[in-house]
Amino acid sequence: MIRRTPPSRRTAPALAAALATASLLAALASAPGASADGSRQAPPPGSGPACAFYDGDRPTALGERGERVSQAQCLLANRHYLRWSDVDGTFGPETLVAVQRFQADHPPLVPDGRVTPATWSALWHAGPNRVTPLPFP
């Protein structure tokens, strides 16, 4: 005699696995700075798992757009120098002020507002330390 498993018992584990996968993918896609590029390494300790736009150290400055700017903004937001709503990939006035304040708080960086290799390094390794209110409402 052959015993057959009822259809409801066969599909329950598959359905549960599909729901778990869908939930995980939705959580990853909704995280600030989520990246579909699975080849990127985890950011250094203290940088926050949300920053995964760019992992280099090329200079970035006012007026630029793209992944480097998004990465700098994300790191600045993690360190409380920039609001999360300003993480938009455009290096505008809010980002400029945030970079200058971060640089001023981390000597020997020069507060010129340019994200140089030295500023990238400081951003990667600094912890969240901005406690005074941001200059923008």
Side-chain angles (χ1 to χ4, degrees):
M1 176 174 171
I2 298 175
R3 296 181 87 180
R4 297 192 184 253
T5 306
S8 62
R9 293 186 105 181
R10 280 184 285 186
T11 57
L15 182 59
L19 287 174
T21 301
S23 296
L24 178 61
L25 290 175
L28 290 173
S30 67
S35 173
D37 182 0
S39 66
R40 295 181 189 243
Q41 296 179 356
S47 66
C51 299
F53 296 98
Y54 172 76
D55 60 0
D57 67 352
R58 286 188 34 209
T60 305
L62 183 64
E64 292 186 29
R65 297 173 185 248
E67 288 187 349
R68 283 188 319 213
V69 176
S70 294
Q71 182 68 30
Q73 290 173 329
C74 185
L75 291 166
L76 288 162
N78 269 337
R79 277 116 187 88
H80 307 185
Y81 285 87
L82 191 66
R83 294 181 316 228
W84 280 106
S85 60
D86 292 325
V87 179
D88 61 3
T90 301
F91 199 127
E94 293 87 2
T95 304
L96 176 66
V97 170
V99 171
Q100 290 171 329
R101 288 177 182 252
F102 176 84
Q103 290 169 325
D105 287 349
H106 295 85
L109 296 176
V110 176
D112 61 4
R114 294 185 69 238
V115 184
T116 61
T119 302
W120 278 115
S121 179
L123 280 168
W124 280 114
H125 297 98
N129 58 355
R130 183 92 183 136
V131 293
T132 58
L134 294 171
F136 301 98

